[in-house]
Amino acid sequence: MCAAADVTVDRVRALIEQNPLESLTLEYKEKYSPSLVKSVAAMANSYGGLIVVGVTDKSHHDDRLVGVSEDAITQVASGCHTRLEPPWEPEILVLPMAEKAGRHLLVIRVFSTVAPRPVLLDGTAPIRLSGRNATADRTRLAQLFSEVPQQTPWAAPLPVPQLASAHSRMDALFILRSGLRSPVGPAAAWRPLSERAVRDLGDALEASPISQTLRGWSREFGMAGESRPFHRRGLNRARRVRLVRNGLSDLVDVVLELQVPETYGTPASELTLTLDVVAATELREQTSWISSNPGADHESWRLSVPRLRSLVTALLAALVDPEVVKAVAGIAGVDPVVLPQPPSLAFRSKPDVKDLLEVEGLIPMIDRGSSHGADTVSNPEYDLRESRDCRDQVDDWLAQIGLDAGLQGMERLLGQDELPPDLR
């Protein structure tokens, strides 16, 4: 489940050293063979799984990682594309072996939730049994044809925020929401949220880019010292936590809500964390903050695109911050490496978006109608921990917000504007 960037030779070696047997979801191959394609189809039609190519099953070898040549990469991709019906390729990760020049490990990850099931091979539908492949009977084949595609729970978009209920003490001008969904380890089913774990999460967020951005803005507009770090407020229970950070004289709040399954001792499905940036309607009076036009009056306030961009970037960067990830993974009882990245961004605006944003450089579409926000999803190709990917994701989101509001030219505007040095 971990990000592709976290699949390394060392991590594969650690797996092999545990000497796990081949199973429903794990298979080793020393080299490419036609049977590998059958295993891909079988895992796709069953529970998904992992095929590691370049591993010998000869236990007397000092090092079972023997690797394969570059030709094997083409053979796997070509074999899956030409022999499977419909043509389909799983995720193929190529790991160069530094100690063996020209040799690579292939980690093939088969996600049953994205496979076009049933995946057929030579007119039959292979399925996976314990450590081996078999052929689906008529009943199983009928199930595969009739099933509705399922989305991995922690890849689904987060619940969208509501302006009226986002922050009970604040009349919200606009809200930005992103967050995390995470699988939950067995231990999390038996314990409440510890005070230490919640404190660690608050401390990690306080040191993250979202807090740094608010502190920077407070200093910029003479409001330094008028903020309060993350603290518990509102609905906090044994399995639910709510942390709030105030900024800009209580005109902007950052609100974290984290929920683990309520029932003790039952298999936990997922942890849900939302992180909201909530701006008060009174912020419109701070025209020096909200607009890049210092001469703007209170009737023509606007949220500048560069400032919105920096806010979204800081929100996203906080959620992939290593210390925040470590704290959330600790609460979920999982290894930080399997914690998925933020799946979505939701934006809600009390006024029409075209009346909230500073539209200089943007071109309104004819008969565009009104818009009070947008719901966007993350591009799974991006590694949001990388600054360039993070920037590209933010720009994609802002472009969608602009287009949903009937405003063209956002891409060109963003291309002209560089992020502040602390957010590059």
Side-chain angles (χ1 to χ4, degrees):
M1 291 184 292
C2 68
D6 291 321
V7 181
T8 63
V9 172
D10 288 341
R11 189 168 291 278
V12 173
R13 191 182 305 279
L15 170 67
I16 300 303
E17 288 176 351
Q18 297 176 31
N19 200 32
L21 299 176
E22 292 187 336
S23 64
L24 280 170
T25 56
L26 178 63
E27 184 168 314
Y28 309 119
K29 293 288 185 183
E30 186 169 343
K31 58 185 179 181
Y32 173 79
S33 68
S35 65
L36 185 150
V37 178
K38 185 174 183 179
S39 294
V40 168
M43 289 182 175
N45 290 328
S46 302
Y47 304 100
L50 198 68
I51 303 172
V52 186
V53 186
V55 179
T56 180
D57 59 0
K58 298 175 181 177
S59 57
H60 63 272
H61 276 233
D62 293 334
D63 187 356
R64 292 182 60 193
L65 302 187
V66 295
V68 293
S69 66
E70 290 187 4
D71 293 342
I73 303 170
T74 304
Q75 289 176 314
V76 172
S78 177
C80 290
H81 183 76
T82 59
R83 298 187 62 208
L84 297 181
E85 182 188 349
W88 181 71
E89 294 178 25
E91 182 183 51
I92 304 172
L93 304 177
V94 182
L95 311 180
M97 302 180 70
E99 69 279 13
K100 296 180 180 179
R103 307 295 285 180
H104 305 77
L105 291 177
L106 304 186
V107 177
I108 301 171
R109 298 201 293 190
V110 182
F111 296 102
S112 59
T113 53
V114 299
R117 290 154 57 120
V119 178
L120 303 181
L121 177 69
D122 300 328
T124 65
I127 57 172
R128 188 73 175 168
L129 302 179
S130 184
R132 66 183 182 89
N133 301 322
T135 300
D137 59 17
R138 292 178 60 184
T139 301
R140 178 58 181 148
L141 189 59
Q143 291 173 344
L144 287 168
F145 271 109
S146 62
E147 69 184 7
V148 177
Q150 299 293 316
Q151 186 174 35
T152 304
W154 38 89
L158 295 156
V160 297
Q162 301 297 323
L163 286 166
S165 60
H167 203 325
S168 59
R169 73 175 193 88
M170 182 181 288
D171 182 17
L173 174 65
F174 68 85
I175 305 171
L176 290 166
R177 168 175 288 182
S178 191
L180 300 167
R181 293 183 184 272
S182 171
V184 178
W190 296 97
R191 65 188 182 208
L193 295 169
S194 75
E195 293 187 13
R196 179 177 180 179
V198 173
R199 184 172 61 251
D200 289 346
L201 177 57
D203 291 345
L205 283 166
E206 190 59 33
S208 73
I210 190 66
S211 294
Q212 295 169 14
T213 295
L214 286 186
R215 286 195 294 268
W217 288 349
S218 294
R219 290 191 299 268
E220 183 181 351
F221 301 107
M223 300 177 182
E226 299 185 30
S227 63
R228 186 178 178 188
F230 279 96
H231 58 283
R232 288 181 185 257
R233 190 168 71 202
L235 183 60
N236 282 265
R237 297 292 187 266
R239 313 281 285 176
R240 178 186 178 93
V241 65
R242 191 172 192 270
L243 300 177
V244 178
R245 190 194 195 284
N246 311 119
L248 294 177
S249 298
D250 288 344
L251 295 179
V252 178
D253 280 354
V254 182
V255 183
L256 174 140
E257 294 193 359
L258 182 149
Q259 177 76 57
V260 293
E262 290 287 352
T263 307
Y264 284 93
T266 59
S269 56
E270 67 174 24
L271 171 151
T272 303
L273 179 153
T274 58
L275 190 62
D276 296 350
V277 177
V278 188
T281 54
E282 292 82 0
L283 192 62
R284 67 179 63 193
E285 300 174 5
Q286 301 290 329
T287 53
S288 62
W289 180 86
I290 205 161
S291 177
S292 60
N293 179 7
D297 58 36
H298 290 183
E299 298 301 321
S300 61
W301 57 268
R302 291 290 189 270
L303 173 62
S304 68
V305 171
R307 198 170 291 283
L308 175 60
R309 187 194 208 189
S310 67
L311 193 60
V312 176
T313 302
L315 176 65
L316 192 58
L319 290 166
V320 297
D321 181 84
E323 292 303 315
V324 173
V325 169
K326 180 181 177 181
V328 175
I331 292 173
V334 298
D335 190 314
V337 77
V338 307
L339 193 69
Q341 296 189 9
S344 61
L345 175 83
F347 174 58
R348 289 292 181 273
S349 169
K350 185 174 183 179
D352 196 309
V353 173
K354 66 179 176 59
D355 296 325
L356 174 72
L357 294 182
E358 191 171 69
V359 296
E360 184 177 354
L362 300 176
I363 304 171
M365 301 178 196
I366 300 174
D367 298 330
R368 62 185 176 275
S370 63
S371 170
H372 292 271
D375 298 319
T376 67
V377 296
S378 299
N379 184 339
E381 297 296 322
Y382 290 145
D383 182 352
L384 301 179
R385 297 165 300 181
E386 298 291 334
S387 58
R388 180 174 292 277
D389 282 0
C390 181
R391 182 192 65 190
D392 289 345
Q393 180 64 87
V394 170
D395 288 358
D396 288 350
W397 283 341
L398 294 184
Q400 181 173 333
I401 289 171
L403 290 171
D404 283 354
L407 300 170
Q408 294 178 292
M410 183 71 78
E411 292 180 23
R412 178 175 49 81
L413 186 64
L414 294 170
Q416 297 173 352
D417 177 57
E418 289 296 327
L419 291 174
D422 59 330
L423 292 176
R424 287 178 186 167

